[in-house]
Amino acid sequence: MSQALHRAVQLMTAEDLPSMVLSHRDLPASLQDFIPRRQNYLDNHTMAENGMPGSSAERFREVGRITGYLQEFNAPVPENNVIPPGYDVQAASVVHLFDDPNGVARWIDEVFLHDFEANVNEEIHPDQHLLAAERLPLEGFSDVSAGLRVVHGTPKGTASSTVVDFRVGRILGVVYVVTLGNYTRLEVTQELGLALERKIVRVVLGDL
């Protein structure tokens, strides 16, 4: 990371996060029919409530996480109201602000990778079991990055999430694509991640 980018990232605040997440026009062509759904700040308490067993706001703050911002998109429901296996149902980008770059690296290793891999075959939420967490190879990111294919079992069937985490200074970028059934969406998720990385850098350097 260049010195100019490093210095600029240090000046970022929580108010800058909403401008970093991907908007509809930033989505790849294959996701252009997705519909904006949820966008909001994610404080450490919210993250912990929706996190893995053992998550807590205090633990996340100790790693250095300050807050984050989410932009989520949902796929249109098929005309027959039947969602087939292999149908991508959701995509999202999230940006998290940390005290320093070391906290971002710790989060990727100690929270993202560790918590998923440690809870395989466990019930992580009521009626939701984590069936698999497989590391994925990534290309093109400028700094620390990691990818997982995560498979969930629910009473309604199996769903898979392809997730990419990466670092830009003290900012953690996250993208994911959720698919009905046991599938991997590495290509489109990596495309989302690289688009988010570029947008974060543009915001940090004042180009947006």
Side-chain angles (χ1 to χ4, degrees):
M1 186 168 60
S2 70
Q3 288 298 314
L5 181 58
H6 176 75
R7 289 193 297 269
V9 171
Q10 294 302 110
L11 300 175
M12 293 293 101
T13 68
E15 287 69 34
D16 297 305
L17 300 182
S19 60
M20 295 180 184
V21 292
L22 297 178
S23 63
H24 186 269
R25 67 175 177 271
D26 300 317
L27 298 180
S30 61
L31 303 178
Q32 277 295 313
D33 60 343
F34 276 43
I35 303 162
R37 177 176 176 259
R38 188 164 56 116
Q39 55 183 31
N40 53 258
Y41 279 97
L42 299 173
D43 61 24
N44 285 325
H45 290 283
T46 302
M47 287 288 292
E49 288 173 359
N50 294 281
M52 294 286 185
S55 298
S56 69
E58 292 75 20
R59 178 193 177 204
F60 293 165
R61 187 67 193 98
E62 189 277 329
V63 176
R65 185 184 185 275
I66 299 171
T67 191
Y69 193 84
L70 163 76
Q71 173 65 71
E72 200 171 67
F73 299 87
N74 279 5
V77 178
E79 291 184 5
N80 61 3
N81 289 321
V82 177
I83 301 176
Y87 195 78
D88 297 330
V89 296
Q90 193 174 82
S93 62
V94 194
V95 286
H96 307 259
L97 186 66
F98 283 74
D99 292 328
D100 53 52
N102 181 60
V104 179
R106 285 187 60 194
W107 180 280
I108 292 175
D109 185 52
E110 299 175 19
V111 179
F112 174 51
L113 294 175
H114 172 271
D115 285 9
F116 274 114
E117 293 175 339
N119 283 282
V120 172
N121 296 321
E122 299 292 337
E123 185 178 58
I124 56 174
H125 296 291
D127 292 326
Q128 184 180 139
H129 287 77
L130 182 59
L131 303 179
E134 172 193 356
R135 295 198 188 196
L136 300 172
L138 301 178
E139 296 180 354
F141 292 93
S142 60
D143 198 0
V144 177
S145 62
L148 283 177
R149 182 182 72 95
V150 180
V151 183
H152 299 271
T154 74
K156 294 183 178 181
T158 301
S160 51
S161 300
T162 305
V163 190
V164 169
D165 281 29
F166 61 89
R167 181 174 70 177
V168 180
R170 67 187 189 114
I171 296 169
L172 169 69
V174 180
V175 292
Y176 58 83
V177 174
V178 181
T179 309
L180 187 64
N182 189 349
Y183 293 85
T184 304
R185 289 292 184 262
L186 178 57
E187 184 175 348
V188 68
T189 307
Q190 186 164 268
E191 188 177 356
L192 276 175
L194 292 171
L196 180 60
E197 183 184 54
R198 290 191 297 270
K199 189 164 187 182
I200 292 170
V201 170
R202 290 174 64 193
V203 172
V204 169
L205 295 179
D207 292 339
L208 282 179

